[in-house]
Amino acid sequence: TRCSRDWSSDVCSSDLESWRRTQRHAPGEIDVFRRILVPLDGSALAEAAFGIATLLADPAGAQIRLLTVRPTDDDARVEAVDTLAAARERLAARWSGPISTHVLEGNAVAGIQGEAVAWDADLVAMTTHGRGGLARAWLGSVSDRFIRATDRPVLVLRPPDRSEEHT
């Protein structure tokens, strides 16, 4: 996993060059993202990935899939479907490309990984809560665990207002 840090975000990707070598391209064709998966946890922070996802999707006419992974619970599923529909509406208000949604039940990391493979995502764009140090070790990080589990390119954004907390 390679990461670079700038003033506004951490950008991490699992070995992008290795992934690109597995893709088949015609001579002169450039890499574009055609399927961008955006995992959401119901927070406004998670929707911060909409900006970069639409920016990368526009030139290629890509599809964006919004994904929520919830615990196995009928009430949680109904809430997840409603929350995801509202997020889709907010994204559709700012981007006219194709948007699909999907709700899974179970472990978040396994669900995101499974959907990235099943849907054949070219990129997973997600946010992190920006916890560092002890908080991250104690609470864990879905984005951190996902990066370590996947072979897909991953773009991870953190909240810019918490950038000073990272050490």
Side-chain angles (χ1 to χ4, degrees):
T1 301
R2 288 179 283 170
C3 299
S4 64
R5 179 176 281 182
D6 66 23
W7 65 272
S8 64
S9 66
D10 282 340
V11 179
C12 300
S13 67
S14 55
D15 192 3
L16 183 57
E17 292 306 314
S18 173
W19 176 82
R20 283 186 172 156
R21 285 192 295 270
T22 67
Q23 306 305 301
R24 301 196 195 300
H25 298 292
E29 185 178 320
I30 61 169
D31 289 331
V32 293
F33 300 113
R34 299 191 188 287
R35 292 174 170 239
I36 300 173
L37 181 65
V38 180
L40 301 174
D41 64 4
S43 70
L45 172 64
E47 292 184 21
F50 287 178
I52 192 69
T54 58
L55 181 70
L56 294 170
D58 262 345
Q63 302 173 49
I64 294 177
R65 173 162 289 177
L66 306 179
L67 172 69
T68 296
V69 182
R70 292 290 186 203
T72 305
D73 175 353
D74 288 339
D75 292 335
R77 180 160 181 79
V78 170
E79 179 185 339
V81 168
D82 292 344
T83 301
L84 202 54
R88 184 188 189 289
E89 291 297 318
R90 286 187 291 277
L91 179 58
R94 59 193 279 190
W95 188 65
S96 61
I99 304 167
S100 61
T101 60
H102 196 65
V103 176
L104 293 174
E105 295 177 351
N107 175 276
V109 174
I112 297 167
Q113 173 64 11
E115 186 63 14
V117 171
W119 191 58
D120 197 24
D122 298 315
L123 177 70
V124 178
M126 62 195 312
T127 60
T128 181
H129 288 277
R131 295 181 189 104
L134 190 55
R136 182 173 172 188
W138 177 255
L139 298 172
S141 165
V142 170
S143 58
D144 185 56
R145 291 191 320 264
F146 177 71
I147 289 168
R148 296 175 196 290
T150 191
D151 64 347
R152 304 288 164 151
V154 180
L155 178 66
V156 177
L157 304 169
R158 69 176 175 163
D161 57 325
R162 297 185 71 178
S163 62
E164 296 303 319
E165 295 179 23
H166 293 275
T167 56

